[in-house]
Amino acid sequence: MRPMPELGQSEVDAQDLALVEGLLAGKRRALAKAITLVESTRSDHGLRAQKLLAAVLPHAGRSLRIGISGVPGVGKSTFIEALGMFLIGRGHRIAVLAVDPSSTVHGGSILGDKTRMELLSQREEAFIRPTPSSGSLGGVAEHTREALLLCEAAGHDIIIVETVGVGQSETAVAGMTDCFVLLQLPNAGDDLQAIKKGIMELADLVVFNKADIDPAAAQLAAAQMRSALSMLHPASPNWQPPVMTLSATRKDGLEEFWQLLEKFRDTLGASGEFAARRRHQALAWMWQRVDSGLREGFRRHPAVRDTLAATATAVEAGSITPTAAAQRLLDLAGQ
Ligand code: GDP
């Protein structure tokens, strides 16, 4: 667990003053350096990172946070690049972050390939950051949350968090964004899969990409999805998730997409749900940190360390019940 500064002791280290200044001035290098600091696993970096975050926090929170999920090949990077360029044209500053569970296994990354989003990455108004390439999904998601705050403090007013279509990472991204967008292919059966995984309940907006290939099939898939969604209980009483078709390569549908997002923001802003979501997410984040801290403390406890392997073997062999074993370990740890 990373050391946290005491309340009231969040003065940033002298060595990081220039970093904070650069970050708040919107300098991309400073932002990249700050994110590297929060991703570092060194404990001295951890303390500096938390002070840095505390110092810039008052400048964060003013962006629209958009989660975008879809299976590899659905067109996420093509879509994000097109949308990013469209939004830059409207005076916005974009940041693109990622949560990729596969990176935690083999160190790869959905944004690691430099050729992705080539146009967007060259723009001064855009900041693109690959997913942190190590750690558990929880750790990666936490770093992405912190990176998101840093991007906001650096003046990026639209943050896109990208993830692949794997249940847990989608839940993590939905838990750190204001609006969760599901990108789908217009193939029969995809919608049913999404419903099975329970991902539909997370979606605020569903987009069928590649509508240029077979527009009629895309319309049909959208209609089926609309009817499937109408049978689910919507997350908000004021928002039935819309379903639209789009072509990222032809940049066809970007305007409509953006209008829907603005409508979403206005509707949930007016009902107070937008702010409530963020409050809820902040608290959930705190509890996750508490849980992971307790778990780490438990595992590090000397009495637990000494007996954990033998207890686990006994549980596997059936010579002690899991409940009794857990109680014994918790007692040893004084919890
Ligand atoms: P990602 O893995 O989800 O990021 O998908 P990519 O953006 O890399 O796209 C995968 C492939 O689909 C690429 O060859 C894209 O050119 C193609 N593609 C993306 N969007 C569209 C689209 O709207 N229409 C068509 N025809 N192809 C697309």
Side-chain angles (χ1 to χ4, degrees):
M1 180 91 182
R2 229 184 244 167
M4 296 275 290
E6 296 294 322
L7 286 179
Q9 281 187 2
S10 53
E11 282 287 291
V12 66
D13 282 14
Q15 59 182 326
D16 293 328
L17 278 174
L19 193 56
V20 171
E21 257 176 47
L23 180 84
L24 295 180
K27 301 239 162 63
R28 284 207 297 185
R29 272 199 56 189
L31 175 55
K33 247 179 106 174
I35 295 180
T36 304
L37 191 64
V38 302
E39 284 175 359
S40 169
T41 48
R42 277 176 46 179
S43 58
D44 58 326
H45 284 175
L47 197 54
R48 274 171 62 197
Q50 289 307 324
K51 289 179 178 177
L52 181 80
L53 280 163
V56 303
L57 197 62
H59 305 273
R62 283 188 278 259
S63 80
L64 180 64
R65 305 166 181 171
I66 308 167
I68 294 187
S69 169
V71 294
V74 69
K76 290 181 296 301
S77 45
T78 312
F79 174 60
I80 293 170
E81 167 147 284
L83 179 68
M85 296 302 282
F86 169 85
L87 292 172
I88 285 174
R90 296 189 154 206
H92 293 287
R93 295 186 67 213
I94 319 298
V96 184
L97 306 170
V99 174
D100 178 6
S102 65
S103 71
T104 66
V105 179
H106 55 67
S109 143
I110 48 176
L111 289 176
D113 181 353
K114 288 277 188 299
T115 61
R116 294 175 98 235
M117 304 181 204
E118 215 168 340
L119 288 174
L120 195 59
S121 61
Q122 286 167 20
R123 295 296 300 247
E124 196 50 44
E125 306 90 332
F127 178 83
I128 303 179
R129 182 82 174 184
T131 191
S133 61
S134 65
S136 63
L137 174 61
V140 166
E142 185 171 322
H143 287 145
T144 305
R145 275 194 175 113
E146 291 174 338
L148 189 153
L149 296 177
L150 293 172
C151 290
E152 289 180 343
H156 292 273
D157 63 334
I158 295 176
I159 318 274
I160 296 173
V161 187
E162 176 188 6
T163 192
V164 286
V166 177
Q168 266 186 327
S169 69
E170 287 174 311
T171 311
V173 170
M176 67 177 85
T177 50
D178 304 312
C179 182
F180 189 70
V181 178
L182 200 56
L183 218 55
Q184 296 261 294
L185 288 169
N187 297 339
D190 275 9
D191 45 347
L192 293 178
Q193 267 177 18
I195 288 166
K196 247 206 245 159
K197 283 194 300 175
I199 294 306
M200 293 314 309
E201 277 107 0
L202 298 176
D204 297 305
L205 175 58
V206 181
V207 177
F208 282 93
N209 188 32
K210 308 199 186 183
D212 55 293
I213 297 174
D214 185 346
Q219 288 303 337
L220 182 65
Q224 285 172 343
M225 177 64 84
R226 248 172 241 126
S227 97
L229 276 172
S230 69
M231 288 185 265
L232 295 177
H233 189 67
S236 157
N238 303 304
W239 186 257
Q240 177 63 33
V243 182
M244 64 169 290
T245 63
L246 185 141
S247 167
T249 41
R250 294 200 186 162
K251 302 177 181 51
D252 206 3
L254 295 176
E255 179 84 46
E256 190 195 338
F257 175 83
W258 189 242
Q259 276 172 9
L260 283 173
L261 270 194
E262 287 188 320
K263 193 170 162 210
F264 173 84
R265 180 171 57 184
D266 293 347
T267 306
L268 273 75
S271 68
E273 286 165 274
F274 198 91
R277 264 192 198 196
R278 285 200 175 183
R279 284 198 302 271
H280 179 79
Q281 289 173 350
L283 264 189
W285 185 2
M286 181 193 82
W287 280 114
Q288 270 170 31
R289 285 294 300 259
V290 168
D291 285 347
S292 61
L294 285 173
R295 193 178 282 260
E296 270 180 52
F298 172 79
R299 284 185 175 277
R300 272 204 310 263
H301 195 284
V304 171
R305 256 203 329 241
D306 290 347
T307 53
L308 192 54
T311 309
T313 309
V315 170
E316 281 174 343
S319 55
I320 181 172
T321 67
T323 308
Q327 194 54 57
R328 189 182 290 175
L329 288 169
L330 288 169
D331 286 347
L332 282 174
Q335 283 181 347

